[in-house]
Amino acid sequence: MGKILVQYYSETGHTKEMAELVAQGASTIPGTEVRLKSVSESVPEDLFWCDGLAVGAPTHLGSIPWRLKQWWDEVVESAWGKIDGKFACAFTSEGGIGGGAELACMGLLTMLMNFGLLVFGATDYVAPRHTLHYGAALAGHPKTQPEKDICLRLGMRLAEWVALYVDGNEGCHPNRASYPR
Amino acid sequence: MGKILVQYYSETGHTKEMAELVAQGASTIPGTEVRLKSVSESVPEDLFWCDGLAVGAPTHLGSIPWRLKQWWDEVVESAWGKIDGKFACAFTSEGGIGGGAELACMGLLTMLMNFGLLVFGATDYVAPRHTLHYGAALAGHPKTQPEKDICLRLGMRLAEWVALYVDGNEGCHPNRASYPR
Amino acid sequence: MGKILVQYYSETGHTKEMAELVAQGASTIPGTEVRLKSVSESVPEDLFWCDGLAVGAPTHLGSIPWRLKQWWDEVVESAWGKIDGKFACAFTSEGGIGGGAELACMGLLTMLMNFGLLVFGATDYVAPRHTLHYGAALAGHPKTQPEKDICLRLGMRLAEWVALYVDGNEGCHPNRASYPR
Amino acid sequence: MGKILVQYYSETGHTKEMAELVAQGASTIPGTEVRLKSVSESVPEDLFWCDGLAVGAPTHLGSIPWRLKQWWDEVVESAWGKIDGKFACAFTSEGGIGGGAELACMGLLTMLMNFGLLVFGATDYVAPRHTLHYGAALAGHPKTQPEKDICLRLGMRLAEWVALYVDGNEGCHPNRASYPR
């Protein structure tokens, strides 16, 4: 069973909505167990438990909101050096197009790289002009189907890498997948 | 007279279209002289001439296309250490939302910071959910009016900083401007 | 009189030491008034007061520590849209070479760009193999003279841009300066 | 057999020296086959062949030199969408401390993420104040033993992830390794 943690911080509900879609996407891969947790519900044990994790937050000033950063700054003491090599990705909701979502995704991935995680985006275009090369980076909440598909696809990809590399399920490699990319 | 260089590299015409709008935006500030040049037309003297510059290119793999990077890698020899303190910003066209445009803008600004330039984005929202915090970062070419306004505003802001700081035109400070921000 | 704010967050004293050197460097430019404040001493009025600011913090997970981020996340309400066009730079102390200091500097500059600030590094090499292209980025505290000079030069450059562009002191342009660069 | 590609672009020989150490580090993991190639020797087939790759170049203007970027911009046509999920890391030589090496590493990783690769740094400190959180980022060439160890460790980590995840060699997980980290 691949174990996926989706951790989020949300204020307006936009990022929470994204998190729910990421979790739903991960669940589409058979044999995947998903934990969906807000940062205030998260504990270090969640990091030890999971094989892969998606972390999300609203874009604040082009980077990570302090409330999420606090959790990670403080978890260093208990988790650093113990979770290397897990699979990780990021998602974020910005105030408007050009408002820093990609930078916030890369900021989250930079933070996660510090723990030795293997981070990724996806090559996929879920619809014309809609991709997730550095994670799911949206303005506002996911409204359109392509915006929802970006979140779903991110969770699915996370679960696919875990299924492939942790559980040895060769059929889960996305380059051999039968769905449109 | 504030002197503005708009330099671009374009393949499909998307970035060229953005460049023309950036140049047009700069021209709206009275007393501004604008040079619009493709990278193949550019010479080091353009950098010495201008007080402020906007540099644009399509987003290729989340960063600067090699043809534009070549120009800047090679201009180091003649321009480095001679253009410190000029004002600079960036614009880019990506293949799709989430496709790296903000990262490419920051990559361009990083490159420009190496020359000692003062780089900026704009706080402005030109329409709901449309901003340019790190430069003009669009998917495809500017189609909608808000997308065009992002490019226009970037050029205007560049010319405003030059008018304010190089020409001493206090009325050009955007925080005192009469247009909606 | 050019007004410079040096704001820092420090835990071990490393970043505080850097901040003091940055402040000292700013003071070397005649006609410069400097405020050196820890983030817990800082108030929004400091941002309105200054013409230029240097912001520093230890590198935590390749980015901004949550305690500094909290101050800036919360100051958005009172300062956003009111401090555009001020001059800004960054400094940070990392745990070791390759530990994220440059990324933390860029993270700080990204945050500051959100407020419409004009951000910069310096082209200068203060000694062979010692530069500050994206701000002062050091491992540990400034021990050697080149490491101290990196901090001093950053503050000096900040004060130079303010002297040049806010006070109109043409002699302060670093490309015309008489000190070795 | 884990297959590792070490690709580099070098002008002065600094990055080539790093590449050789990265390749040597990869070779220390039993059952690893290593290809060391300059970018001019590289062909798309190398990307298809390998399970993991390390890409290196000198830091030019805080990012990727145009000659390396050209190779990758052009390989998009043949390799994009075909190499997702391989393991990847980066190394670079900058002109001086604070000169952009970490940013160049992240620029390389950003480029590699566009191909769907799983990118990483290492949590390890190879000596006090010497780490490789975002890849091997050095000023000049690797002179001291800790600088050499940074390169060796990067290659080793790459080969470890491949051994663990592609070849199923559980003993290769670095968190279970017997060497000092």
Side-chain angles (χ1 to χ4, degrees):
Chain A
M1 287 288 282
K3 296 177 191 68
I4 302 294
L5 172 68
V6 180
Q7 185 202 54
Y8 68 93
Y9 168 66
S10 188
E11 291 183 349
T12 63
H14 292 177
T15 310
K16 185 182 183 193
E17 209 174 311
M18 295 180 76
E20 288 164 347
L21 289 162
V22 172
Q24 185 185 329
S27 302
T28 61
I29 301 300
T32 301
E33 187 181 352
V34 181
R35 277 189 195 172
L36 174 64
K37 287 202 175 185
S38 72
V39 69
S40 60
E41 298 165 327
S42 302
V43 290
E45 192 275 340
D46 293 324
L47 299 180
F48 304 139
W49 169 81
C50 72
D51 301 307
L53 64 158
V55 180
T59 302
H60 283 188
L61 301 174
S63 65
I64 308 168
W66 72 269
R67 284 189 188 278
L68 183 73
K69 190 64 176 8
Q70 180 178 15
W71 193 88
W72 285 89
D73 279 355
E74 293 177 351
V75 88
V76 166
E77 204 169 335
S78 48
W80 191 83
K82 296 179 186 163
I83 58 171
D84 303 63
K86 294 174 190 276
F87 299 83
C89 58
F91 57 97
T92 191
S93 166
E94 65 188 345
I97 287 176
E102 289 178 359
L103 301 176
C105 269
M106 284 305 282
L108 287 164
L109 297 180
T110 297
M111 177 182 84
L112 298 169
M113 285 179 66
N114 268 270
F115 288 86
L117 304 186
L118 300 158
V119 306
F120 64 91
T123 49
D124 312 43
Y125 281 78
V126 298
R129 297 229 178 280
H130 286 81
T131 187
L132 57 153
H133 289 356
Y134 313 98
L138 299 181
H141 72 113
K143 295 165 295 295
T144 65
Q145 193 58 45
E147 288 173 333
K148 289 174 188 171
D149 286 343
I150 282 173
C151 301
L152 290 164
R153 187 62 56 90
L154 184 70
M156 198 168 95
R157 186 57 33 86
L158 175 58
E160 286 173 323
W161 294 136
V162 165
L164 173 63
Y165 286 124
V166 180
D167 294 339
N169 189 336
E170 293 290 330
C172 281
H173 195 300
N175 285 6
R176 290 188 285 272
S178 54
Y179 53 82
R181 297 179 66 228
Chain B
M1 287 288 283
K3 296 178 192 67
I4 302 295
L5 173 68
V6 180
Q7 184 201 54
Y8 68 94
Y9 168 65
S10 189
E11 292 183 348
T12 63
H14 292 178
T15 309
K16 186 183 183 192
E17 209 175 311
M18 294 181 75
E20 289 165 347
L21 289 162
V22 172
Q24 185 186 329
S27 302
T28 60
I29 301 299
T32 302
E33 187 180 351
V34 181
R35 277 189 195 173
L36 175 63
K37 287 203 174 185
S38 73
V39 68
S40 60
E41 299 165 327
S42 302
V43 290
E45 192 277 339
D46 293 324
L47 298 180
F48 304 139
W49 168 81
C50 72
D51 301 306
L53 63 158
V55 180
T59 302
H60 282 187
L61 301 175
S63 65
I64 309 168
W66 72 269
R67 285 189 188 278
L68 182 72
K69 189 64 176 11
Q70 180 178 16
W71 193 87
W72 285 90
D73 279 354
E74 294 177 351
V75 88
V76 165
E77 204 170 335
S78 48
W80 191 83
K82 297 179 185 162
I83 57 171
D84 301 63
K86 295 175 190 276
F87 299 83
C89 57
F91 56 98
T92 191
S93 166
E94 64 189 346
I97 288 176
E102 290 178 359
L103 300 176
C105 270
M106 284 305 283
L108 287 163
L109 296 180
T110 296
M111 178 183 85
L112 298 170
M113 285 180 66
N114 269 269
F115 288 86
L117 304 186
L118 300 158
V119 306
F120 64 92
T123 49
D124 313 42
Y125 280 78
V126 299
R129 298 226 178 282
H130 286 81
T131 187
L132 58 154
H133 289 355
Y134 313 97
L138 300 180
H141 73 112
K143 295 165 295 296
T144 65
Q145 194 57 46
E147 288 173 333
K148 289 174 187 170
D149 287 343
I150 281 173
C151 301
L152 290 164
R153 187 62 57 89
L154 185 71
M156 199 169 92
R157 186 57 33 85
L158 175 58
E160 286 173 323
W161 293 137
V162 165
L164 173 64
Y165 286 125
V166 180
D167 294 339
N169 188 337
E170 292 289 331
C172 280
H173 195 299
N175 285 5
R176 292 188 283 270
S178 55
Y179 53 82
R181 296 180 63 228
Chain C
M1 288 286 283
K3 295 177 191 69
I4 302 295
L5 173 67
V6 180
Q7 185 201 54
Y8 68 94
Y9 168 66
S10 189
E11 292 181 350
T12 62
H14 292 177
T15 309
K16 187 183 183 192
E17 209 176 309
M18 295 180 76
E20 288 165 348
L21 289 162
V22 172
Q24 185 185 327
S27 302
T28 61
I29 301 300
T32 301
E33 187 180 353
V34 181
R35 278 189 194 172
L36 174 64
K37 288 203 174 186
S38 73
V39 68
S40 60
E41 299 166 327
S42 302
V43 290
E45 192 276 339
D46 292 325
L47 299 180
F48 304 139
W49 168 81
C50 72
D51 301 307
L53 64 158
V55 180
T59 302
H60 282 188
L61 301 174
S63 65
I64 309 168
W66 71 269
R67 285 188 188 278
L68 183 73
K69 190 62 178 6
Q70 181 178 15
W71 193 88
W72 284 90
D73 279 354
E74 293 177 353
V75 89
V76 166
E77 204 169 334
S78 48
W80 190 82
K82 296 180 187 162
I83 57 171
D84 302 64
K86 294 173 189 277
F87 298 83
C89 58
F91 56 98
T92 191
S93 166
E94 65 189 344
I97 287 175
E102 290 178 0
L103 300 177
C105 271
M106 284 305 282
L108 288 163
L109 297 180
T110 297
M111 178 182 84
L112 298 169
M113 285 180 66
N114 268 270
F115 288 86
L117 304 185
L118 300 157
V119 307
F120 63 92
T123 48
D124 313 44
Y125 281 78
V126 299
R129 298 227 178 281
H130 286 80
T131 187
L132 58 153
H133 288 356
Y134 313 97
L138 300 180
H141 73 113
K143 295 165 294 294
T144 64
Q145 193 58 45
E147 288 173 333
K148 290 174 187 170
D149 287 343
I150 281 174
C151 301
L152 291 164
R153 186 61 57 90
L154 184 70
M156 198 169 96
R157 186 55 35 86
L158 175 59
E160 286 173 324
W161 293 137
V162 166
L164 173 65
Y165 286 125
V166 180
D167 294 338
N169 188 335
E170 292 289 330
C172 280
H173 195 299
N175 285 4
R176 292 187 284 272
S178 54
Y179 54 82
R181 297 179 65 229
Chain D
M1 285 290 281
K3 297 178 190 69
I4 301 294
L5 172 68
V6 180
Q7 185 202 54
Y8 68 93
Y9 168 65
S10 189
E11 292 182 349
T12 62
H14 293 177
T15 309
K16 187 183 183 192
E17 209 175 309
M18 295 181 77
E20 289 165 347
L21 289 162
V22 172
Q24 185 185 329
S27 303
T28 61
I29 301 300
T32 301
E33 187 181 353
V34 182
R35 278 189 194 172
L36 174 64
K37 287 203 174 185
S38 73
V39 68
S40 61
E41 298 166 327
S42 303
V43 291
E45 193 277 340
D46 293 323
L47 298 180
F48 305 138
W49 168 81
C50 72
D51 301 307
L53 63 158
V55 180
T59 302
H60 282 188
L61 302 174
S63 65
I64 309 167
W66 73 268
R67 285 188 188 279
L68 182 73
K69 189 63 176 9
Q70 180 178 15
W71 193 87
W72 284 90
D73 280 353
E74 293 178 352
V75 89
V76 165
E77 204 169 335
S78 49
W80 191 83
K82 297 180 187 162
I83 58 172
D84 303 63
K86 294 173 190 276
F87 299 83
C89 58
F91 56 97
T92 191
S93 166
E94 64 188 346
I97 287 176
E102 289 178 0
L103 301 176
C105 270
M106 285 304 281
L108 288 163
L109 296 181
T110 297
M111 176 182 85
L112 297 170
M113 285 179 67
N114 269 270
F115 288 85
L117 304 185
L118 299 157
V119 306
F120 64 92
T123 48
D124 313 43
Y125 281 77
V126 299
R129 297 227 179 281
H130 286 80
T131 186
L132 57 152
H133 289 356
Y134 314 98
L138 300 180
H141 73 112
K143 296 165 293 296
T144 65
Q145 193 58 45
E147 288 173 333
K148 289 174 187 171
D149 286 343
I150 282 173
C151 301
L152 290 164
R153 186 63 56 90
L154 184 71
M156 198 169 94
R157 185 57 32 87
L158 175 58
E160 286 173 324
W161 294 136
V162 166
L164 173 63
Y165 286 125
V166 180
D167 294 338
N169 188 336
E170 293 290 329
C172 281
H173 195 299
N175 285 6
R176 292 188 284 271
S178 54
Y179 54 82
R181 295 179 65 226

